[in-house]
Amino acid sequence: TAAAAKRRAREVSSVSHERIREEIDKMLSDPNRARAAALLSELDLAPVVFQEVDAPSFALGRSVLAELPREVPRALAWAALLAGVDARTADALLVRLRSSNADREAICALVRDRKRARSIGELRLADRKRLLLRGDAPALLELARAEAVATKQDLSGLALSHAKRQEFQEETGPHALASPPLVRGNDLKDMGLPPGPHFREILDYAENARLEGRAKDKESLLAAIRAEHPEWFEKKS
């Protein structure tokens, strides 16, 4: 059977993309997913099914996949298998295989941000909070750990990520991620700024300042915005 499958591997390209993706979904949902991925390589099916992924990248993905726990979300398993490519390549593959938009977004977010989870110390405080408190953070940290183990990299960055995640989860008050923004669009209008695309830049700045504890209330934050970025008001007034 194996010999016949290998001999006719190219013929699988005649099968619908949806059917192929469904079969890969089943493989990756099973605890023996790493063995299934190995069989794809051994039977010469990997280059046909994963056309966007070269052999070294697929080998890396198999190694990362093997480091996952037995029970994981399917998006995490997909992201592990695609750990050898960037998010754009992963998205192109998932589009070809007719993955749903929700699945594509979930998988590509993990592929894109896994390295940031290992280098959390290099991120600004606001970005640390956003990364470590988002809904898929447990899967993201697990993916980062599996890749670090598979590639024999230092795990100290992940230890910091877990510690910071715990710290941020326990945080309360105006600087917590779940707290409402201190400044909104109407506040900028009240300051004499006409609505426009620049609002997004100002509001992003205000939200970063809130998360990083650089302002405790709306009044101090608005004063900081005007003091630190007078050009916003000079250009728009």
Side-chain angles (χ1 to χ4, degrees):
T1 302
K6 188 170 185 177
R7 185 172 64 252
R8 304 185 64 177
R10 289 286 168 187
E11 296 179 32
V12 77
S13 60
S14 64
V15 178
S16 73
H17 294 301
E18 292 88 347
R19 177 63 186 277
I20 290 175
R21 191 207 66 249
E22 289 171 359
E23 293 301 324
I24 301 300
D25 281 345
K26 294 174 184 177
M27 293 179 189
L28 294 178
S29 298
D30 189 274
N32 292 313
R33 59 185 73 88
R35 177 56 182 151
L39 284 170
L40 287 174
S41 292
E42 293 170 16
L43 299 177
D44 293 340
L45 287 164
V48 184
V49 175
F50 295 90
Q51 299 170 13
E52 296 81 357
V53 185
D54 60 26
S57 298
F58 193 75
L60 172 60
R62 286 171 46 196
S63 298
V64 177
L65 198 65
E67 297 298 334
L68 295 180
R70 287 176 57 84
E71 302 297 331
V72 297
R74 192 177 71 239
L76 172 53
W78 266 102
L81 188 58
L82 298 176
V85 300
D86 58 25
R88 179 176 297 181
T89 302
D91 188 60
L93 182 148
L94 294 167
V95 167
R96 181 175 58 79
L97 294 181
R98 307 290 193 271
S99 291
S100 69
N101 289 338
D103 284 348
R104 282 170 48 210
E105 290 172 6
I107 296 165
C108 290
L110 294 173
V111 172
R112 181 183 62 247
D113 293 327
R114 69 191 191 280
K115 292 182 180 178
R116 297 175 71 217
R118 293 205 307 271
S119 56
I120 201 73
E122 300 174 8
L123 302 180
R124 64 183 301 168
L125 178 57
D127 290 336
R128 293 185 196 182
K129 290 184 179 182
R130 293 188 182 99
L131 185 72
L132 296 177
L133 293 179
R134 69 193 214 187
D136 66 346
L140 183 65
L141 292 173
E142 180 55 42
L143 175 62
R145 182 204 63 79
E147 184 176 18
V149 172
T151 55
K152 297 180 171 55
Q153 296 185 47
D154 182 28
L155 293 172
S156 59
L158 276 174
L160 176 61
S161 291
H162 282 285
K164 286 297 180 182
R165 175 171 161 77
Q166 180 68 28
E167 175 186 322
F168 296 153
Q169 286 178 316
E170 296 173 354
E171 187 176 30
T172 58
H175 312 316
L177 184 68
S179 297
L182 292 175
V183 172
R184 301 180 185 274
N186 285 336
D187 298 307
L188 301 183
K189 293 178 184 178
D190 293 341
M191 295 175 75
L193 287 173
H198 57 288
F199 264 36
R200 184 71 270 157
E201 180 183 5
I202 300 173
L203 292 174
D204 286 345
Y205 169 87
E207 186 63 359
N208 286 338
R210 178 186 76 82
L211 292 174
E212 293 169 1
R214 292 187 277 123
K216 297 181 179 180
D217 52 44
K218 179 191 295 187
E219 290 69 26
S220 61
L221 183 50
L222 291 174
I225 292 173
R226 187 181 286 278
E228 295 179 27
H229 289 279
E231 73 277 7
W232 284 338
F233 301 87
E234 293 169 2
K235 291 188 300 182
K236 311 303 185 218
S237 59

